[in-house]
Amino acid sequence: MGEDPETFTQQDIDRSIAYLFPSGLFDKRARPLMKHPDEIFPKQQAVQWGADGRPFHFLFYTGKQSYYSLMHDTVAKVLAAEKQQVLLLSEGPVPQDTKPISLVGSRWLLKEELEELLVETISDHDYARFIQLMERLLSLPNCLSEKDFVQRYRKQLEIQSSKQQVAPLQYDENGVAYSTADGRRKTATCTVLLRDCGSGSISINGRDYLHYFPVLQDREQLMFPFHFLDMLGRFDGQCTVGGGGRSSQAGALRLAISRAMLSFLSEGQVESMRQAGLLTPDPRVKERKKPGQEGARRKFTWKKR
Amino acid sequence: MAASITGLLKPWTPRLFLVRWSRYNPYYLEPEPRKELYNMPETELTTEQKEERELKAVRPIKATTNSTTSSVFNDPVLSKFVNMMMRDGEKILARGILTQTLESLKRKQVEKYHKAPQGKKAEIECNPYAIFHQALENCMPVIGLASIQKGGARPPDRQPKAIPSHEVDDHRVSGQQEQTHPHV
């Protein structure tokens, strides 16, 4: 590097570090990327027999001791719940107060996740039997006491609306709030600038929306996000759109308007918009033509000979 | 099933190309565009609706089609009818025909209404949407058929018998079971 190693002071060292590692040695992004320790040292089962050679677990000789012991415990719980149900019925018909365990926000562990938990390999058949047994346990009315046991084998699903990225609101020179967003549908792309405190006028590529979309269906699509949130006359829109046909341009504009409005809304409203289908980009595109067929689906005329 | 859920959220092509497949992963749920349902407070919901809401909170939702809006004038039955009338993708023409039909219905009914004597005025239905729905209900079949697979190499004979609804019992007719589908 042209430096004299004899007269290399601490200052030179600092200078060279600043040159070689511009972000510094202690920046978070300069940290070395290492694999998770579980990937380097995978979980292994501890030695399962004592000094005398006798295994600790009574199900060791099944080969899959954790899996079979799990099934054993679950069956014990099922039998206990059934016994309790019989006892309750013999005392007299009791009204159903016990609510079943809520399963909506979670899913069963996948086979790979269960294998990770048990530190054992299990077959697809074993996994299916396990799920079957757990479903049977859940079908019994007295299963509320086994809630913790069941939750251990269920994974919580994350709430979808938390994945929505809402851009912060921007303000122009007059203090009026505005936001921009993009939208796409098939091959049409568009950008929308929504301004608050407006009168509900929308201009597309410099023209009024009534002139640009002579068809009612397209104008209904433009109105949809505003009408859904009861904000019909509140915003002014400036849009540019290109590509695609009239229907796909309208769809792209609808998506862009919905995205632009997100910054003005509360979380509950964002979630209702998502459930109304306004925030999902439509993935449907023209299907390709296949060889040996006339179109995407249409086959050539069948000739008997 | 994929180990990660993120793979399910992208535009999806199935591994095996079945005849009827959609660009959406089957994990996606249908959207609900009517806005009144979102303004209902918690107390008015039944348990099923609450469960449905919880399910919708964790699942991705499909995009609404171009012919659906949250407007009061949007009718799923009418949209379906327009799509069935449509040929070569000419939705504008099909929708125009339907609108003109409804308009002419209204005109005729209003004419009848004005010409009718005072006592009979209340019986004349002027709402074309109500007439359309009633007409559709009148045309609906009373009995539907559901074929049941039985363990046999021969396909079952399909001979629907028009049994009037009050006489329907669980008859087994050469391998096929008839079930009433009361029109709702």
Side-chain angles (χ1 to χ4, degrees):
Chain A
M1 296 284 305
E3 295 291 331
D4 186 12
E6 303 294 320
T7 55
F8 212 67
T9 59
Q10 184 58 42
Q11 276 180 342
D12 291 321
I13 293 172
D14 292 337
R15 195 164 46 87
S16 48
I17 286 175
Y19 174 74
L20 289 169
F21 306 108
S23 55
L25 282 174
F26 303 106
D27 195 80
K28 196 166 181 184
R29 288 170 294 174
R31 289 180 197 168
L33 293 167
M34 294 191 285
K35 286 189 192 173
H36 195 274
D38 277 345
E39 286 174 52
I40 304 171
F41 305 109
K43 282 189 189 168
Q44 285 165 336
Q45 281 184 327
V47 168
Q48 284 148 4
W49 52 87
D52 54 349
R54 287 188 69 199
F56 297 128
H57 204 281
F58 73 105
L59 290 172
F60 173 75
Y61 288 108
T62 57
K64 306 177 225 179
Q65 64 176 43
S66 337
Y67 169 73
Y68 281 112
S69 77
L70 169 62
M71 296 290 273
H72 188 74
D73 294 334
T74 319
V75 168
K77 289 190 195 287
V78 166
L79 293 173
E82 284 176 351
K83 202 168 164 183
Q84 200 189 14
Q85 191 185 13
V86 163
L87 270 173
L88 284 173
L89 280 173
S90 64
E91 281 163 22
V94 179
Q96 286 271 349
D97 319 300
T98 50
K99 292 175 205 165
I101 301 172
S102 165
L103 300 174
V104 176
S106 53
R107 60 167 173 87
W108 289 118
L109 282 185
L110 300 170
K111 181 170 160 245
E112 290 84 7
E113 290 166 355
L114 188 63
E115 279 182 352
E116 229 180 315
L117 193 67
L118 299 174
V119 201
E120 259 176 12
T121 40
I122 51 179
S123 71
D124 289 328
H125 178 75
D126 292 336
Y127 176 70
R129 288 301 292 264
F130 169 67
I131 298 293
Q132 211 177 28
L133 188 61
M134 294 300 257
E135 295 283 349
R136 188 172 154 204
L137 177 62
L138 288 176
S139 67
L140 297 168
N142 312 324
C143 56
L144 205 63
S145 39
E146 274 92 41
K147 189 174 175 182
D148 299 316
F149 176 74
V150 170
Q151 292 290 6
R152 250 187 282 160
Y153 300 101
R154 285 191 78 90
K155 192 161 178 187
Q156 285 298 117
L157 293 167
E158 42 182 47
I159 308 248
Q160 289 290 328
S161 57
S162 56
K163 292 189 192 167
Q164 206 67 46
Q165 288 151 343
V166 179
L169 209 51
Q170 293 160 297
Y171 292 90
D172 69 358
E173 318 85 50
N174 304 332
V176 173
Y178 73 94
S179 74
T180 46
D182 294 329
R184 262 198 284 198
R185 167 95 214 268
K186 283 192 192 177
T187 30
T189 48
C190 69
T191 46
V192 156
L193 180 94
L194 271 189
R195 253 188 264 270
D196 207 351
C197 313
S199 55
S201 62
I202 303 179
S203 69
I204 306 173
N205 288 356
R207 290 156 68 187
D208 191 34
Y209 70 101
L210 194 54
H211 293 299
Y212 196 81
F213 287 127
V215 181
L216 177 66
Q217 183 185 293
D218 305 330
R219 293 197 300 272
E220 278 180 343
Q221 288 300 297
L222 282 191
M223 276 205 315
F224 186 3
F226 298 119
H227 179 264
F228 185 77
L229 298 160
D230 294 321
M231 294 178 182
L232 269 172
R234 182 171 152 187
F235 294 99
D236 265 340
Q238 241 178 296
C239 326
T240 45
V241 70
R246 63 165 185 90
S247 190
S248 42
Q249 280 182 350
L253 278 170
R254 184 187 90 185
L255 181 63
I257 289 171
S258 323
R259 282 180 180 167
M261 282 172 85
L262 287 180
S263 345
F264 294 93
L265 303 176
S266 68
E267 276 198 27
Q269 285 173 311
V270 168
E271 177 60 19
S272 359
M273 273 190 96
R274 188 191 73 88
Q275 290 191 10
L278 283 165
L279 298 174
T280 327
D282 206 327
R284 300 177 292 172
V285 288
K286 191 161 172 174
E287 203 175 312
R288 69 159 277 201
K289 176 198 174 313
K290 284 111 195 169
Q293 293 177 3
E294 196 172 315
R297 300 281 172 111
R298 163 117 174 101
K299 320 285 185 282
F300 289 124
T301 313
W302 180 74
K303 297 209 179 82
K304 200 161 180 176
R305 46 189 73 86
Chain B
M1 197 154 118
S4 68
I5 294 292
T6 44
L8 295 174
L9 300 176
K10 297 180 199 153
W12 173 78
T13 37
R15 288 231 180 102
L16 191 65
F17 276 81
L18 310 160
V19 178
R20 285 184 192 286
W21 59 281
S22 119
R23 289 282 294 182
Y24 288 109
N25 198 297
Y27 198 56
Y28 280 65
L29 296 175
E30 296 294 326
E32 181 53 75
R34 291 173 292 172
K35 65 176 174 184
E36 315 81 50
L37 299 179
Y38 297 104
N39 295 335
M40 277 166 49
E42 284 289 320
T43 44
E44 282 176 34
L45 301 172
T46 59
T47 13
E48 287 137 4
Q49 281 174 320
K50 278 190 192 149
E51 267 188 28
E52 216 184 284
R53 269 208 191 175
E54 279 176 33
L55 183 69
K56 285 207 161 184
V58 288
R59 291 271 204 111
I61 312 271
K62 295 186 192 179
T64 333
T65 40
N66 261 21
S67 41
T68 331
T69 52
S70 56
S71 158
V72 287
F73 302 110
N74 177 57
D75 191 352
V77 176
L78 279 172
S79 306
K80 186 80 187 169
F81 193 76
V82 166
N83 286 341
M84 305 217 84
M85 270 207 301
M86 174 169 69
R87 273 201 228 168
D88 300 326
E90 291 185 323
K91 179 92 111 203
I92 314 169
L93 185 62
R95 196 167 163 178
I97 291 171
L98 184 73
T99 323
Q100 283 167 22
T101 313
L102 292 172
E103 195 194 317
S104 66
L105 263 181
K106 175 99 190 193
R107 279 182 196 277
K108 289 187 184 165
Q109 289 299 99
V110 168
E111 213 184 297
K112 262 198 256 179
Y113 180 85
H114 286 306
K115 285 188 184 164
Q118 203 56 38
K120 306 265 178 154
K121 284 209 180 198
E123 291 168 0
I124 297 178
E125 177 64 63
C126 281
N127 184 1
Y129 295 99
I131 298 174
F132 182 87
H133 286 116
Q134 185 59 50
L136 203 64
E137 212 178 292
N138 292 344
C139 300
M140 261 197 245
V142 172
I143 304 178
L145 286 174
S147 61
I148 291 182
Q149 294 290 337
K150 285 178 94 181
R154 214 164 48 88
D157 304 319
R158 284 176 213 287
Q159 282 176 23
K161 272 194 189 169
I163 304 174
S165 47
H166 59 272
E167 283 180 25
V168 164
D169 206 349
D170 261 8
H171 296 301
R172 281 185 187 264
V173 182
S174 57
Q176 194 168 36
Q177 198 165 45
E178 285 161 3
Q179 294 171 9
T180 41
H181 291 268
H183 50 279
V184 178

